Amino acid sequence: MVQRMQQMARPRGRPREFDVDQALDKAIKVFREQGYNATSIEDLTGAMGLASGSIYKAFKDKRAVFLAALDRYMRLRNDQIALIAGTRGTARERLRAVLGFYVDSAKGIEGRRGCMVVGSAVELAIVDREVATRVGATLARNEAFLADLIRQGQADGSISGRIDPDDTARVMVCLTQGLRVVGKSGRAPADTAAAVDIAMRLLA
Amino acid sequence: MVQRMQQMARPRGRPREFDVDQALDKAIKVFREQGYNATSIEDLTGAMGLASGSIYKAFKDKRAVFLAALDRYMRLRNDQIALIAGTRGTARERLRAVLGFYVDSAKGIEGRRGCMVVGSAVELAIVDREVATRVGATLARNEAFLADLIRQGQADGSISGRIDPDDTARVMVCLTQGLRVVGKSGRAPADTAAAVDIAMRLLA
DNA sequence: TCTTTTAGGAAAAGATCGTTCCCTAAATCA
DNA sequence: TGATTTAGGGAACGATCTTTTCCTAAAAGA
């Protein structure tokens, strides 16, 4: 049984010397800053600490590296937001925490580095169907997530029942994506609490 | 006198056969769809109806074409918004009209085509200082424009005096830029009036 | 009319980029 | 242990992209 698991863990030839996820994290950093087209294989080898041959052993081509990085980026970000929204309190308080996370992500160096979803949407959505699909799915998921949070707030009494959860969530998604655009130019709101207070006005 | 004006109008050698602004409009279309790095000189020659040599006669290099296109795009868009905001009515009504224009810009084919300011911010702001300067200036101008409109509304009584015009305008700019990101993936709000109603909640 | 200046256009040059190839290294299988 | 399989790494290749060059065309100046 243990031997079977070891066999499954070590497939055949020479084992990979680097951790794929760690390498993807480096790739994510580069793609967030420069986007897809401006990032050369040389940029990736430098950031990931690998030779070009090794990259092409692990990934079909540059686009596959990007898609893997995008998937990982979206997953990590989703996990973070789910964690923040999982804290105690009314749905309104949890929604406030989520919005605060978005505002903070848009500030300073992190904001300048940018968002891979926004970058993918702007640079590639029109020419790469697979990227467009993923971006659309993430935006839809974020929208549904926020709408659900709003509905929870309407159920626990912390959010007005007069607003439409879906329409409001959709506008809120625009706000969060816009924060990342503005963050790229270093003009994101400096005062997180103040910005979140204003954003919370969308809830009636 | 007439001869002097003709001299000024026709400088020296062979006159240019194409209209620079018309050519830039074609370039804007390509840059909006594909961004800077994905657009080749061949793309530009095709869209602008010029040979590469002619482009390099009129512009220093590809980057100069992009900067000229960006400047023209920003100017045209600014003019449109100023026109819309110049209509009669309370400042609140004019602000509503401006927001409606932003929402409409994010919808359908126009939305998929994208915004050159957003594209520039996301793709180039971190690597091109000159682009970053222009993007920052436009965002600041938009912010000041919206803040002024809010102040007018507070003066004419159509907008609550309890909100901070600058902070609110800053969040509103994020919303408008985000609309363009979401529009790239075809997920912009379908019902303009409903989306504007929700956005107007930011005014208290 | 002849010279000078600038534009149009296509081909060539020069640079860069993505990908493949080849050799060595490290693992498993027989 | 020898064969097989896969990874690491760097050079080489082929394609593409930006820019320059060169020749012709069209205008003004003398």
Side-chain angles (χ1 to χ4, degrees), chain A residues 33 38 112 126 139 143 167-168 170-171 174-175 178 181 185 187 198 201-202, chain B residues 33 37 112 126 139 143 167-168 170 174-175 178 181 185 187 198 201-202:
Chain A
E33 289 174 356
R112 278 218 135 80
I126 221 175
L139 293 181
E143 201 177 303
D167 288 348
T168 304
R170 175 158 292 201
V171 172
C174 293
L175 179 56
V181 174
S185 74
R187 295 191 55 81
I198 293 169
R201 293 196 205 126
L202 292 174
Chain B
E33 288 174 357
N37 287 296
R112 278 217 135 80
I126 221 174
L139 293 180
E143 203 178 303
D167 288 348
T168 304
R170 176 158 291 200
C174 293
L175 179 56
V181 173
S185 75
R187 296 190 55 80
I198 293 169
R201 293 196 205 126
L202 291 175

PDB file of all heavy atoms in Angstrom, chain A residues 33 38 112 126 139 143 167-168 170-171 174-175 178 181 185 187 198 201-202, chain B residues 33 37 112 126 139 143 167-168 170 174-175 178 181 185 187 198 201-202:
ATOM      1  N   GLU A  33       2.623  42.349 -13.471  1.00  0.00           N
ATOM      2  CA  GLU A  33       3.275  43.641 -13.717  1.00  0.00           C
ATOM      3  C   GLU A  33       3.307  44.006 -15.199  1.00  0.00           C
ATOM      4  O   GLU A  33       3.097  45.148 -15.571  1.00  0.00           O
ATOM      5  CB  GLU A  33       4.713  43.614 -13.161  1.00  0.00           C
ATOM      6  CG  GLU A  33       4.762  43.621 -11.639  1.00  0.00           C
ATOM      7  CD  GLU A  33       6.171  43.436 -11.106  1.00  0.00           C
ATOM      8  OE1 GLU A  33       7.094  43.225 -11.911  1.00  0.00           O
ATOM      9  OE2 GLU A  33       6.342  43.486  -9.870  1.00  0.00           O
ATOM     10  N   ALA A  38       3.945  41.469 -23.147  1.00  0.00           N
ATOM     11  CA  ALA A  38       5.209  42.142 -22.849  1.00  0.00           C
ATOM     12  C   ALA A  38       6.167  41.234 -22.084  1.00  0.00           C
ATOM     13  O   ALA A  38       7.328  41.569 -21.893  1.00  0.00           O
ATOM     14  CB  ALA A  38       4.952  43.422 -22.054  1.00  0.00           C
ATOM     15  N   ARG A 112      -0.036  48.730  -7.666  1.00  0.00           N
ATOM     16  CA  ARG A 112       0.733  48.968  -8.895  1.00  0.00           C
ATOM     17  C   ARG A 112       1.006  47.650  -9.620  1.00  0.00           C
ATOM     18  O   ARG A 112       1.105  47.608 -10.842  1.00  0.00           O
ATOM     19  CB  ARG A 112       2.069  49.635  -8.548  1.00  0.00           C
ATOM     20  CG  ARG A 112       1.963  51.122  -8.359  1.00  0.00           C
ATOM     21  CD  ARG A 112       3.207  51.810  -8.930  1.00  0.00           C
ATOM     22  NE  ARG A 112       2.865  52.976  -9.716  1.00  0.00           N
ATOM     23  CZ  ARG A 112       2.576  54.155  -9.197  1.00  0.00           C
ATOM     24  NH1 ARG A 112       2.585  54.325  -7.907  1.00  0.00           N
ATOM     25  NH2 ARG A 112       2.286  55.165  -9.985  1.00  0.00           N
ATOM     26  N   ILE A 126     -10.462  39.571 -25.774  1.00  0.00           N
ATOM     27  CA  ILE A 126     -11.025  39.718 -27.111  1.00  0.00           C
ATOM     28  C   ILE A 126     -10.360  38.779 -28.120  1.00  0.00           C
ATOM     29  O   ILE A 126     -10.940  38.463 -29.163  1.00  0.00           O
ATOM     30  CB  ILE A 126     -10.919  41.191 -27.579  1.00  0.00           C
ATOM     31  CG1 ILE A 126     -12.199  41.604 -28.299  1.00  0.00           C
ATOM     32  CG2 ILE A 126      -9.727  41.404 -28.484  1.00  0.00           C
ATOM     33  CD1 ILE A 126     -12.239  43.059 -28.685  1.00  0.00           C
ATOM     34  N   LEU A 139     -15.709  36.549 -12.948  1.00  0.00           N
ATOM     35  CA  LEU A 139     -16.563  37.708 -12.680  1.00  0.00           C
ATOM     36  C   LEU A 139     -17.953  37.252 -12.266  1.00  0.00           C
ATOM     37  O   LEU A 139     -18.546  37.797 -11.329  1.00  0.00           O
ATOM     38  CB  LEU A 139     -16.634  38.602 -13.920  1.00  0.00           C
ATOM     39  CG  LEU A 139     -15.323  39.305 -14.319  1.00  0.00           C
ATOM     40  CD1 LEU A 139     -15.534  40.169 -15.547  1.00  0.00           C
ATOM     41  CD2 LEU A 139     -14.791  40.138 -13.160  1.00  0.00           C
ATOM     42  N   GLU A 143     -19.668  37.929  -8.685  1.00  0.00           N
ATOM     43  CA  GLU A 143     -20.971  38.585  -8.662  1.00  0.00           C
ATOM     44  C   GLU A 143     -21.953  37.770  -7.819  1.00  0.00           C
ATOM     45  O   GLU A 143     -22.653  38.315  -6.954  1.00  0.00           O
ATOM     46  CB  GLU A 143     -21.460  38.691 -10.108  1.00  0.00           C
ATOM     47  CG  GLU A 143     -22.493  39.741 -10.354  1.00  0.00           C
ATOM     48  CD  GLU A 143     -22.843  39.782 -11.838  1.00  0.00           C
ATOM     49  OE1 GLU A 143     -21.928  39.977 -12.664  1.00  0.00           O
ATOM     50  OE2 GLU A 143     -24.011  39.597 -12.159  1.00  0.00           O
ATOM     51  N   ASP A 167     -28.488  43.012  -9.230  1.00  0.00           N
ATOM     52  CA  ASP A 167     -28.070  44.255  -9.877  1.00  0.00           C
ATOM     53  C   ASP A 167     -27.017  44.985  -9.047  1.00  0.00           C
ATOM     54  O   ASP A 167     -26.035  45.515  -9.574  1.00  0.00           O
ATOM     55  CB  ASP A 167     -29.282  45.172 -10.096  1.00  0.00           C
ATOM     56  CG  ASP A 167     -30.196  44.646 -11.193  1.00  0.00           C
ATOM     57  OD1 ASP A 167     -29.767  43.721 -11.916  1.00  0.00           O
ATOM     58  OD2 ASP A 167     -31.325  45.161 -11.335  1.00  0.00           O
ATOM     59  N   THR A 168     -27.235  45.003  -7.750  1.00  0.00           N
ATOM     60  CA  THR A 168     -26.292  45.695  -6.872  1.00  0.00           C
ATOM     61  C   THR A 168     -24.934  44.998  -6.876  1.00  0.00           C
ATOM     62  O   THR A 168     -23.882  45.659  -6.935  1.00  0.00           O
ATOM     63  CB  THR A 168     -26.843  45.748  -5.432  1.00  0.00           C
ATOM     64  OG1 THR A 168     -28.136  46.367  -5.444  1.00  0.00           O
ATOM     65  CG2 THR A 168     -25.915  46.548  -4.539  1.00  0.00           C
ATOM     66  N   ARG A 170     -23.682  43.270  -9.242  1.00  0.00           N
ATOM     67  CA  ARG A 170     -23.045  43.498 -10.537  1.00  0.00           C
ATOM     68  C   ARG A 170     -22.315  44.838 -10.565  1.00  0.00           C
ATOM     69  O   ARG A 170     -21.173  44.937 -11.008  1.00  0.00           O
ATOM     70  CB  ARG A 170     -24.100  43.434 -11.648  1.00  0.00           C
ATOM     71  CG  ARG A 170     -23.576  43.776 -13.010  1.00  0.00           C
ATOM     72  CD  ARG A 170     -24.436  43.206 -14.117  1.00  0.00           C
ATOM     73  NE  ARG A 170     -24.368  41.751 -14.172  1.00  0.00           N
ATOM     74  CZ  ARG A 170     -24.684  41.019 -15.247  1.00  0.00           C
ATOM     75  NH1 ARG A 170     -25.085  41.626 -16.352  1.00  0.00           N
ATOM     76  NH2 ARG A 170     -24.605  39.713 -15.232  1.00  0.00           N
ATOM     77  N   VAL A 171     -22.952  45.860 -10.057  1.00  0.00           N
ATOM     78  CA  VAL A 171     -22.308  47.177  -9.992  1.00  0.00           C
ATOM     79  C   VAL A 171     -21.114  47.130  -9.042  1.00  0.00           C
ATOM     80  O   VAL A 171     -20.072  47.740  -9.291  1.00  0.00           O
ATOM     81  CB  VAL A 171     -23.324  48.252  -9.550  1.00  0.00           C
ATOM     82  CG1 VAL A 171     -22.625  49.577  -9.283  1.00  0.00           C
ATOM     83  CG2 VAL A 171     -24.413  48.426 -10.605  1.00  0.00           C
ATOM     84  N   CYS A 174     -18.073  45.824 -10.704  1.00  0.00           N
ATOM     85  CA  CYS A 174     -17.444  46.876 -11.505  1.00  0.00           C
ATOM     86  C   CYS A 174     -16.552  47.737 -10.633  1.00  0.00           C
ATOM     87  O   CYS A 174     -15.418  48.079 -11.006  1.00  0.00           O
ATOM     88  CB  CYS A 174     -18.508  47.744 -12.178  1.00  0.00           C
ATOM     89  SG  CYS A 174     -19.460  46.878 -13.442  1.00  0.00           S
ATOM     90  N   LEU A 175     -17.053  48.067  -9.456  1.00  0.00           N
ATOM     91  CA  LEU A 175     -16.272  48.904  -8.548  1.00  0.00           C
ATOM     92  C   LEU A 175     -14.969  48.214  -8.144  1.00  0.00           C
ATOM     93  O   LEU A 175     -13.895  48.822  -8.156  1.00  0.00           O
ATOM     94  CB  LEU A 175     -17.120  49.230  -7.313  1.00  0.00           C
ATOM     95  CG  LEU A 175     -16.454  50.075  -6.234  1.00  0.00           C
ATOM     96  CD1 LEU A 175     -15.942  51.381  -6.809  1.00  0.00           C
ATOM     97  CD2 LEU A 175     -17.439  50.352  -5.096  1.00  0.00           C
ATOM     98  N   GLY A 178     -12.585  48.153 -11.040  1.00  0.00           N
ATOM     99  CA  GLY A 178     -12.098  49.503 -11.286  1.00  0.00           C
ATOM    100  C   GLY A 178     -11.035  49.927 -10.287  1.00  0.00           C
ATOM    101  O   GLY A 178     -10.088  50.648 -10.620  1.00  0.00           O
ATOM    102  N   VAL A 181      -7.772  48.893 -11.599  1.00  0.00           N
ATOM    103  CA  VAL A 181      -7.287  49.734 -12.701  1.00  0.00           C
ATOM    104  C   VAL A 181      -6.658  51.005 -12.150  1.00  0.00           C
ATOM    105  O   VAL A 181      -5.532  51.371 -12.494  1.00  0.00           O
ATOM    106  CB  VAL A 181      -8.442  50.087 -13.664  1.00  0.00           C
ATOM    107  CG1 VAL A 181      -7.960  51.076 -14.716  1.00  0.00           C
ATOM    108  CG2 VAL A 181      -9.000  48.847 -14.321  1.00  0.00           C
ATOM    109  N   SER A 185      -2.284  52.964 -11.496  1.00  0.00           N
ATOM    110  CA  SER A 185      -1.690  54.292 -11.678  1.00  0.00           C
ATOM    111  C   SER A 185      -1.392  54.945 -10.332  1.00  0.00           C
ATOM    112  O   SER A 185      -1.022  56.112 -10.276  1.00  0.00           O
ATOM    113  CB  SER A 185      -2.651  55.186 -12.479  1.00  0.00           C
ATOM    114  OG  SER A 185      -3.730  55.589 -11.663  1.00  0.00           O
ATOM    115  N   ARG A 187      -3.392  55.735  -7.959  1.00  0.00           N
ATOM    116  CA  ARG A 187      -4.377  56.718  -7.517  1.00  0.00           C
ATOM    117  C   ARG A 187      -5.535  56.080  -6.754  1.00  0.00           C
ATOM    118  O   ARG A 187      -6.635  56.643  -6.705  1.00  0.00           O
ATOM    119  CB  ARG A 187      -4.926  57.493  -8.719  1.00  0.00           C
ATOM    120  CG  ARG A 187      -3.899  58.339  -9.433  1.00  0.00           C
ATOM    121  CD  ARG A 187      -4.550  59.275 -10.437  1.00  0.00           C
ATOM    122  NE  ARG A 187      -5.562  60.106  -9.815  1.00  0.00           N
ATOM    123  CZ  ARG A 187      -5.307  61.212  -9.133  1.00  0.00           C
ATOM    124  NH1 ARG A 187      -4.062  61.617  -9.005  1.00  0.00           N
ATOM    125  NH2 ARG A 187      -6.263  61.903  -8.590  1.00  0.00           N
ATOM    126  N   ILE A 198     -18.105  54.726   1.546  1.00  0.00           N
ATOM    127  CA  ILE A 198     -18.801  55.228   0.349  1.00  0.00           C
ATOM    128  C   ILE A 198     -19.342  54.058  -0.477  1.00  0.00           C
ATOM    129  O   ILE A 198     -20.486  54.079  -0.934  1.00  0.00           O
ATOM    130  CB  ILE A 198     -17.847  56.110  -0.478  1.00  0.00           C
ATOM    131  CG1 ILE A 198     -17.529  57.387   0.302  1.00  0.00           C
ATOM    132  CG2 ILE A 198     -18.453  56.434  -1.838  1.00  0.00           C
ATOM    133  CD1 ILE A 198     -16.421  58.216  -0.280  1.00  0.00           C
ATOM    134  N   ARG A 201     -22.566  52.542   0.517  1.00  0.00           N
ATOM    135  CA  ARG A 201     -23.802  53.269   0.221  1.00  0.00           C
ATOM    136  C   ARG A 201     -24.581  52.591  -0.905  1.00  0.00           C
ATOM    137  O   ARG A 201     -25.774  52.846  -1.070  1.00  0.00           O
ATOM    138  CB  ARG A 201     -23.474  54.703  -0.201  1.00  0.00           C
ATOM    139  CG  ARG A 201     -22.885  55.554   0.902  1.00  0.00           C
ATOM    140  CD  ARG A 201     -22.957  57.025   0.511  1.00  0.00           C
ATOM    141  NE  ARG A 201     -21.940  57.820   1.174  1.00  0.00           N
ATOM    142  CZ  ARG A 201     -21.077  58.617   0.553  1.00  0.00           C
ATOM    143  NH1 ARG A 201     -21.123  58.714  -0.782  1.00  0.00           N
ATOM    144  NH2 ARG A 201     -20.186  59.308   1.216  1.00  0.00           N
ATOM    145  N   LEU A 202     -23.885  51.755  -1.679  1.00  0.00           N
ATOM    146  CA  LEU A 202     -24.584  51.030  -2.747  1.00  0.00           C
ATOM    147  C   LEU A 202     -25.671  50.120  -2.184  1.00  0.00           C
ATOM    148  O   LEU A 202     -26.570  49.694  -2.896  1.00  0.00           O
ATOM    149  CB  LEU A 202     -23.585  50.193  -3.554  1.00  0.00           C
ATOM    150  CG  LEU A 202     -22.583  50.976  -4.407  1.00  0.00           C
ATOM    151  CD1 LEU A 202     -21.567  50.037  -5.024  1.00  0.00           C
ATOM    152  CD2 LEU A 202     -23.311  51.763  -5.487  1.00  0.00           C
TER     153      LEU A 202
ATOM    154  N   GLU B  33      -8.747  47.414 -29.163  1.00  0.00           N
ATOM    155  CA  GLU B  33      -9.090  45.995 -29.208  1.00  0.00           C
ATOM    156  C   GLU B  33      -7.941  45.099 -28.757  1.00  0.00           C
ATOM    157  O   GLU B  33      -8.145  44.126 -28.045  1.00  0.00           O
ATOM    158  CB  GLU B  33      -9.518  45.610 -30.624  1.00  0.00           C
ATOM    159  CG  GLU B  33     -10.881  46.174 -31.000  1.00  0.00           C
ATOM    160  CD  GLU B  33     -11.230  45.915 -32.455  1.00  0.00           C
ATOM    161  OE1 GLU B  33     -10.400  45.347 -33.182  1.00  0.00           O
ATOM    162  OE2 GLU B  33     -12.345  46.305 -32.864  1.00  0.00           O
ATOM    163  N   ASN B  37       1.085  46.051 -27.094  1.00  0.00           N
ATOM    164  CA  ASN B  37       2.086  45.040 -27.453  1.00  0.00           C
ATOM    165  C   ASN B  37       1.602  44.032 -28.491  1.00  0.00           C
ATOM    166  O   ASN B  37       2.399  43.535 -29.280  1.00  0.00           O
ATOM    167  CB  ASN B  37       2.543  44.302 -26.195  1.00  0.00           C
ATOM    168  CG  ASN B  37       3.437  45.163 -25.327  1.00  0.00           C
ATOM    169  OD1 ASN B  37       4.529  45.552 -25.729  1.00  0.00           O
ATOM    170  ND2 ASN B  37       2.965  45.497 -24.132  1.00  0.00           N
ATOM    171  N   ARG B 112     -16.867  45.695 -25.633  1.00  0.00           N
ATOM    172  CA  ARG B 112     -15.850  44.684 -25.944  1.00  0.00           C
ATOM    173  C   ARG B 112     -14.604  45.327 -26.530  1.00  0.00           C
ATOM    174  O   ARG B 112     -13.486  44.834 -26.360  1.00  0.00           O
ATOM    175  CB  ARG B 112     -16.412  43.677 -26.948  1.00  0.00           C
ATOM    176  CG  ARG B 112     -17.254  42.584 -26.320  1.00  0.00           C
ATOM    177  CD  ARG B 112     -17.020  41.266 -27.053  1.00  0.00           C
ATOM    178  NE  ARG B 112     -16.848  40.173 -26.127  1.00  0.00           N
ATOM    179  CZ  ARG B 112     -17.850  39.540 -25.510  1.00  0.00           C
ATOM    180  NH1 ARG B 112     -19.083  39.943 -25.694  1.00  0.00           N
ATOM    181  NH2 ARG B 112     -17.603  38.541 -24.712  1.00  0.00           N
ATOM    182  N   ILE B 126       3.051  50.676 -15.713  1.00  0.00           N
ATOM    183  CA  ILE B 126       4.165  50.305 -14.840  1.00  0.00           C
ATOM    184  C   ILE B 126       5.512  50.364 -15.560  1.00  0.00           C
ATOM    185  O   ILE B 126       6.552  50.472 -14.931  1.00  0.00           O
ATOM    186  CB  ILE B 126       3.929  48.893 -14.246  1.00  0.00           C
ATOM    187  CG1 ILE B 126       4.346  48.867 -12.782  1.00  0.00           C
ATOM    188  CG2 ILE B 126       4.660  47.838 -15.020  1.00  0.00           C
ATOM    189  CD1 ILE B 126       4.016  47.558 -12.096  1.00  0.00           C
ATOM    190  N   LEU B 139      -7.222  60.450 -15.100  1.00  0.00           N
ATOM    191  CA  LEU B 139      -8.003  60.011 -13.950  1.00  0.00           C
ATOM    192  C   LEU B 139      -8.216  61.163 -12.979  1.00  0.00           C
ATOM    193  O   LEU B 139      -9.313  61.351 -12.443  1.00  0.00           O
ATOM    194  CB  LEU B 139      -7.301  58.839 -13.259  1.00  0.00           C
ATOM    195  CG  LEU B 139      -7.228  57.536 -14.067  1.00  0.00           C
ATOM    196  CD1 LEU B 139      -6.523  56.458 -13.270  1.00  0.00           C
ATOM    197  CD2 LEU B 139      -8.614  57.072 -14.483  1.00  0.00           C
ATOM    198  N   GLU B 143     -11.772  62.770 -11.997  1.00  0.00           N
ATOM    199  CA  GLU B 143     -12.126  62.843 -10.586  1.00  0.00           C
ATOM    200  C   GLU B 143     -12.539  64.263 -10.219  1.00  0.00           C
ATOM    201  O   GLU B 143     -13.578  64.476  -9.575  1.00  0.00           O
ATOM    202  CB  GLU B 143     -10.897  62.417  -9.772  1.00  0.00           C
ATOM    203  CG  GLU B 143     -11.190  61.925  -8.395  1.00  0.00           C
ATOM    204  CD  GLU B 143      -9.902  61.491  -7.719  1.00  0.00           C
ATOM    205  OE1 GLU B 143      -9.201  60.612  -8.268  1.00  0.00           O
ATOM    206  OE2 GLU B 143      -9.580  62.046  -6.657  1.00  0.00           O
ATOM    207  N   ASP B 167     -13.857  62.408  -2.028  1.00  0.00           N
ATOM    208  CA  ASP B 167     -13.825  60.964  -1.774  1.00  0.00           C
ATOM    209  C   ASP B 167     -14.860  60.232  -2.617  1.00  0.00           C
ATOM    210  O   ASP B 167     -14.593  59.158  -3.170  1.00  0.00           O
ATOM    211  CB  ASP B 167     -14.079  60.686  -0.283  1.00  0.00           C
ATOM    212  CG  ASP B 167     -12.890  61.088   0.574  1.00  0.00           C
ATOM    213  OD1 ASP B 167     -11.814  61.366  -0.004  1.00  0.00           O
ATOM    214  OD2 ASP B 167     -13.028  61.129   1.809  1.00  0.00           O
ATOM    215  N   THR B 168     -16.044  60.818  -2.705  1.00  0.00           N
ATOM    216  CA  THR B 168     -17.099  60.176  -3.484  1.00  0.00           C
ATOM    217  C   THR B 168     -16.736  60.121  -4.965  1.00  0.00           C
ATOM    218  O   THR B 168     -16.938  59.097  -5.639  1.00  0.00           O
ATOM    219  CB  THR B 168     -18.430  60.930  -3.300  1.00  0.00           C
ATOM    220  OG1 THR B 168     -18.738  61.005  -1.905  1.00  0.00           O
ATOM    221  CG2 THR B 168     -19.561  60.219  -4.029  1.00  0.00           C
ATOM    222  N   ARG B 170     -13.809  60.052  -6.212  1.00  0.00           N
ATOM    223  CA  ARG B 170     -12.724  59.078  -6.402  1.00  0.00           C
ATOM    224  C   ARG B 170     -13.279  57.667  -6.527  1.00  0.00           C
ATOM    225  O   ARG B 170     -12.875  56.896  -7.404  1.00  0.00           O
ATOM    226  CB  ARG B 170     -11.740  59.173  -5.235  1.00  0.00           C
ATOM    227  CG  ARG B 170     -10.631  58.153  -5.281  1.00  0.00           C
ATOM    228  CD  ARG B 170      -9.424  58.561  -4.476  1.00  0.00           C
ATOM    229  NE  ARG B 170      -8.723  59.686  -5.080  1.00  0.00           N
ATOM    230  CZ  ARG B 170      -7.459  60.005  -4.819  1.00  0.00           C
ATOM    231  NH1 ARG B 170      -6.764  59.301  -3.952  1.00  0.00           N
ATOM    232  NH2 ARG B 170      -6.881  61.016  -5.418  1.00  0.00           N
ATOM    233  N   CYS B 174     -13.448  54.920  -9.904  1.00  0.00           N
ATOM    234  CA  CYS B 174     -13.185  53.479  -9.884  1.00  0.00           C
ATOM    235  C   CYS B 174     -14.328  52.729 -10.543  1.00  0.00           C
ATOM    236  O   CYS B 174     -14.111  51.800 -11.334  1.00  0.00           O
ATOM    237  CB  CYS B 174     -13.001  52.999  -8.443  1.00  0.00           C
ATOM    238  SG  CYS B 174     -11.510  53.641  -7.660  1.00  0.00           S
ATOM    239  N   LEU B 175     -15.538  53.128 -10.238  1.00  0.00           N
ATOM    240  CA  LEU B 175     -16.700  52.458 -10.815  1.00  0.00           C
ATOM    241  C   LEU B 175     -16.712  52.586 -12.339  1.00  0.00           C
ATOM    242  O   LEU B 175     -16.939  51.605 -13.057  1.00  0.00           O
ATOM    243  CB  LEU B 175     -17.977  53.054 -10.211  1.00  0.00           C
ATOM    244  CG  LEU B 175     -19.300  52.495 -10.727  1.00  0.00           C
ATOM    245  CD1 LEU B 175     -19.362  50.994 -10.546  1.00  0.00           C
ATOM    246  CD2 LEU B 175     -20.476  53.161 -10.002  1.00  0.00           C
ATOM    247  N   GLY B 178     -14.010  50.458 -13.856  1.00  0.00           N
ATOM    248  CA  GLY B 178     -14.376  49.053 -13.720  1.00  0.00           C
ATOM    249  C   GLY B 178     -15.424  48.621 -14.725  1.00  0.00           C
ATOM    250  O   GLY B 178     -15.408  47.485 -15.213  1.00  0.00           O
ATOM    251  N   VAL B 181     -13.685  47.491 -17.745  1.00  0.00           N
ATOM    252  CA  VAL B 181     -13.052  46.169 -17.599  1.00  0.00           C
ATOM    253  C   VAL B 181     -14.097  45.078 -17.791  1.00  0.00           C
ATOM    254  O   VAL B 181     -13.920  44.147 -18.582  1.00  0.00           O
ATOM    255  CB  VAL B 181     -12.390  46.024 -16.207  1.00  0.00           C
ATOM    256  CG1 VAL B 181     -11.882  44.608 -16.006  1.00  0.00           C
ATOM    257  CG2 VAL B 181     -11.270  47.028 -16.041  1.00  0.00           C
ATOM    258  N   SER B 185     -15.415  41.786 -21.097  1.00  0.00           N
ATOM    259  CA  SER B 185     -15.834  40.381 -21.064  1.00  0.00           C
ATOM    260  C   SER B 185     -17.314  40.245 -21.389  1.00  0.00           C
ATOM    261  O   SER B 185     -17.881  39.158 -21.257  1.00  0.00           O
ATOM    262  CB  SER B 185     -15.538  39.784 -19.686  1.00  0.00           C
ATOM    263  OG  SER B 185     -16.482  40.254 -18.747  1.00  0.00           O
ATOM    264  N   ARG B 187     -19.858  41.423 -19.843  1.00  0.00           N
ATOM    265  CA  ARG B 187     -20.726  41.255 -18.677  1.00  0.00           C
ATOM    266  C   ARG B 187     -21.161  42.581 -18.068  1.00  0.00           C
ATOM    267  O   ARG B 187     -21.493  42.647 -16.884  1.00  0.00           O
ATOM    268  CB  ARG B 187     -20.013  40.419 -17.610  1.00  0.00           C
ATOM    269  CG  ARG B 187     -19.722  38.987 -18.059  1.00  0.00           C
ATOM    270  CD  ARG B 187     -19.248  38.137 -16.880  1.00  0.00           C
ATOM    271  NE  ARG B 187     -20.179  38.157 -15.783  1.00  0.00           N
ATOM    272  CZ  ARG B 187     -21.285  37.426 -15.729  1.00  0.00           C
ATOM    273  NH1 ARG B 187     -21.561  36.610 -16.706  1.00  0.00           N
ATOM    274  NH2 ARG B 187     -22.093  37.511 -14.702  1.00  0.00           N
ATOM    275  N   ILE B 198     -28.409  52.487  -9.214  1.00  0.00           N
ATOM    276  CA  ILE B 198     -27.583  51.937  -8.135  1.00  0.00           C
ATOM    277  C   ILE B 198     -26.342  52.787  -7.915  1.00  0.00           C
ATOM    278  O   ILE B 198     -25.979  53.114  -6.786  1.00  0.00           O
ATOM    279  CB  ILE B 198     -27.209  50.478  -8.458  1.00  0.00           C
ATOM    280  CG1 ILE B 198     -28.468  49.616  -8.418  1.00  0.00           C
ATOM    281  CG2 ILE B 198     -26.161  49.962  -7.492  1.00  0.00           C
ATOM    282  CD1 ILE B 198     -28.271  48.226  -8.971  1.00  0.00           C
ATOM    283  N   ARG B 201     -26.647  55.838  -5.854  1.00  0.00           N
ATOM    284  CA  ARG B 201     -26.743  55.695  -4.399  1.00  0.00           C
ATOM    285  C   ARG B 201     -25.452  56.158  -3.705  1.00  0.00           C
ATOM    286  O   ARG B 201     -25.452  56.431  -2.513  1.00  0.00           O
ATOM    287  CB  ARG B 201     -26.987  54.231  -4.036  1.00  0.00           C
ATOM    288  CG  ARG B 201     -28.340  53.697  -4.479  1.00  0.00           C
ATOM    289  CD  ARG B 201     -28.641  52.394  -3.747  1.00  0.00           C
ATOM    290  NE  ARG B 201     -29.558  51.553  -4.490  1.00  0.00           N
ATOM    291  CZ  ARG B 201     -29.316  50.285  -4.823  1.00  0.00           C
ATOM    292  NH1 ARG B 201     -28.176  49.713  -4.472  1.00  0.00           N
ATOM    293  NH2 ARG B 201     -30.205  49.583  -5.497  1.00  0.00           N
ATOM    294  N   LEU B 202     -24.378  56.234  -4.463  1.00  0.00           N
ATOM    295  CA  LEU B 202     -23.118  56.708  -3.878  1.00  0.00           C
ATOM    296  C   LEU B 202     -23.250  58.150  -3.392  1.00  0.00           C
ATOM    297  O   LEU B 202     -22.451  58.621  -2.585  1.00  0.00           O
ATOM    298  CB  LEU B 202     -21.987  56.620  -4.916  1.00  0.00           C
ATOM    299  CG  LEU B 202     -21.548  55.207  -5.320  1.00  0.00           C
ATOM    300  CD1 LEU B 202     -20.528  55.268  -6.442  1.00  0.00           C
ATOM    301  CD2 LEU B 202     -20.949  54.483  -4.112  1.00  0.00           C
TER     302      LEU B 202
END
